[in-house]
Amino acid sequence: MTDAPSPVARRGPVPWQVATVTAIRPETPTVTSFTLRPAEWRPHVAGQHYDVRLTAEDGYQAERSYSIASAPEEAGQIDLTIELVPDGEVSAYFHEVIVPGDLVEVRGPIGGYFSWRPGERPLLLAGGGSGVVPLMAMLRARAAAGARGPARLLYSAREPDEVIYHGELARFAAARDGFEAFFTLTRRQPPGWTGYARRIDREMLAEVARPLGTEPDVYVCGPTRLVEVVADGLVAVGVPAARIRTERFGPTGT
Amino acid sequence: MEHADPAEVERPDADDLALDGNAAAGELESLFGPGATVSLATCAHCGTEQAVARLGTWSRGPGLVLRCCACGRVAIRLVRAPTVLHLDLNGVTRLRIPSGGR
């Protein structure tokens, strides 16, 4: 690997603290966004996470890491977009128990590898399922910064209903500021669908990536298999491995 | 010459259970600071240097197990017990941790 350590501004670990849930917004039948106001808000970089910790009365604790969905420009608060996973301890609590005004224990922002600061370099984002969440933070940060460099999102979902942020992504694409969105619906497509209708493959990656030139900054987030297909496929079509940053979502990540 | 523990070499079948070092960021940053996941770890087994964020991470057990993304062998084990934190860095010969200064 040719990764070089990059400077980080923050010093010392971030402490656990209490955050207030201020808004709850359904995104899809199984995905909901929660707005949290931490007692002490710290600016984040798009792509970073928060850890969330729940403590039962008997002292049992469950901890999960969730990507921040909102742009750093939304000072004082963060959005976490959380998918309800079967038997998920923390996601079920968020989806089924939490109401506005509730308090949760959080720690963040954390992570520095899968993070992006707005710039004009060509940008390729590829995500599957709720892996789109940190990519959305990047697109929101990009829009907030008024960046106009070429940027493309390739987003894989199974069905139309499962596409998170559909309306906002359509608005970003309509702004014609250099951003284009590409969708693939792998299981079911609506009538008249003109997007892709298969799992991400090399041909699809080549079509989406080529107009960005040979050295785009690439961020890939999703289930392990998708991340590997995309990362390997992009290397095969000529994107340098060192430009590709990945984050795997799994059963414990949601 | 290496006599690796077979249990250590064998990778779990359910690779889908593996995340990456990003998933361990909170725990690792509490030990090594905000640069933890962009730190570069050199694998003690195969010598590959990789960002900690790229280590395969198994987090479903009572602790965290992080494995080299090249050879799959264990790099870091971390278990937080009520009164003590166990940290095994036996599989890493070197960690290059950014100190934050520019």
Side-chain angles (χ1 to χ4, degrees):
Chain A
M1 282 302 299
T2 54
D3 300 270
S6 49
V8 276
R10 182 162 49 76
R11 288 162 198 272
V14 292
W16 286 100
Q17 60 169 320
V18 168
T20 308
V21 178
T22 57
I24 299 176
R25 191 173 59 256
E27 302 280 2
T28 76
T30 57
V31 176
T32 299
S33 290
F34 299 83
T35 301
L36 274 59
R37 295 192 78 86
E40 189 199 324
W41 181 81
R42 297 174 182 223
H44 62 268
V45 181
Q48 287 190 296
H49 334 149
Y50 265 71
D51 284 349
V52 176
R53 182 165 74 183
L54 303 179
T55 306
E57 284 180 17
D58 65 1
Y60 172 76
Q61 291 189 322
E63 190 179 313
R64 296 290 184 275
S65 190
Y66 294 108
S67 292
I68 303 165
S70 48
E73 282 76 6
E74 281 191 55
Q77 63 183 38
I78 52 156
D79 278 5
L80 303 181
T81 299
I82 298 177
E83 180 174 20
L84 177 64
V85 294
D87 303 321
E89 293 173 322
V90 178
S91 68
Y93 183 82
F94 269 84
H95 278 252
E96 293 161 9
V97 180
I98 277 184
V99 294
D102 281 355
L103 305 176
V104 292
E105 213 177 356
V106 301
R107 168 172 72 178
I110 54 171
Y113 179 78
F114 197 80
S115 62
W116 179 79
R117 293 173 194 276
E120 301 301 319
R121 286 182 46 78
L123 177 67
L124 175 60
L125 308 177
S130 57
V132 75
V133 175
L135 310 180
M136 191 61 182
M138 296 175 190
L139 291 173
R140 286 169 168 165
R142 178 181 179 277
R148 301 188 67 84
R152 292 183 154 208
L153 168 70
L154 175 57
Y155 180 6
S156 174
R158 288 175 300 188
E159 307 190 5
D161 288 354
E162 296 182 1
V163 174
I164 311 170
Y165 313 128
H166 180 264
E168 193 173 351
L169 286 171
R171 282 197 299 282
F172 283 163
R176 302 193 176 281
D177 64 354
F179 170 66
E180 293 172 88
F182 298 82
F183 298 92
T184 183
L185 296 174
T186 58
R187 187 192 287 166
R188 187 170 63 80
Q189 302 82 33
W193 175 248
T194 56
Y196 293 112
R198 61 184 197 268
R199 287 182 167 210
I200 294 176
D201 56 27
R202 211 159 277 187
E203 185 189 348
M204 194 187 298
L205 289 167
E207 287 172 8
V208 174
R210 279 221 172 99
L212 295 172
T214 53
E215 296 217 349
D217 286 334
V218 182
Y219 292 84
V220 186
C221 186
T224 288
R225 281 175 216 287
L226 177 140
V227 165
E228 286 175 1
V229 164
V230 172
D232 294 349
L234 286 172
V235 169
V237 301
V239 176
R243 299 239 71 89
I244 302 173
R245 298 213 158 191
T246 58
E247 178 164 291
R248 290 150 202 262
F249 256 59
T252 54
T254 51
Chain B
M1 176 114 160
E2 272 191 275
H3 297 283
D5 173 4
E8 200 180 305
V9 176
E10 187 183 330
R11 302 181 67 176
D13 292 334
D15 266 1
D16 274 349
L17 294 181
L19 301 176
D20 54 38
N22 296 301
E27 203 65 280
L28 295 173
E29 287 185 16
S30 72
L31 297 171
F32 300 114
T37 53
V38 296
S39 299
L40 298 179
T42 301
C43 176
H45 307 286
C46 71
T48 301
E49 187 179 59
Q50 60 210 292
V52 167
R54 300 190 70 233
L55 294 170
T57 298
W58 279 259
S59 56
R60 299 202 113 188
L64 295 167
V65 177
L66 288 85
R67 293 169 180 266
C68 175
C69 69
C71 74
R73 281 186 275 191
V74 172
I76 300 172
R77 293 185 183 94
L78 192 158
V79 178
R80 191 178 285 280
T83 58
V84 64
L85 175 81
H86 301 267
L87 176 64
D88 174 357
L89 289 167
N90 197 38
V92 174
T93 50
R94 183 174 67 159
L95 266 180
R96 284 203 285 155
I97 305 171
S99 59
R102 225 175 236 282

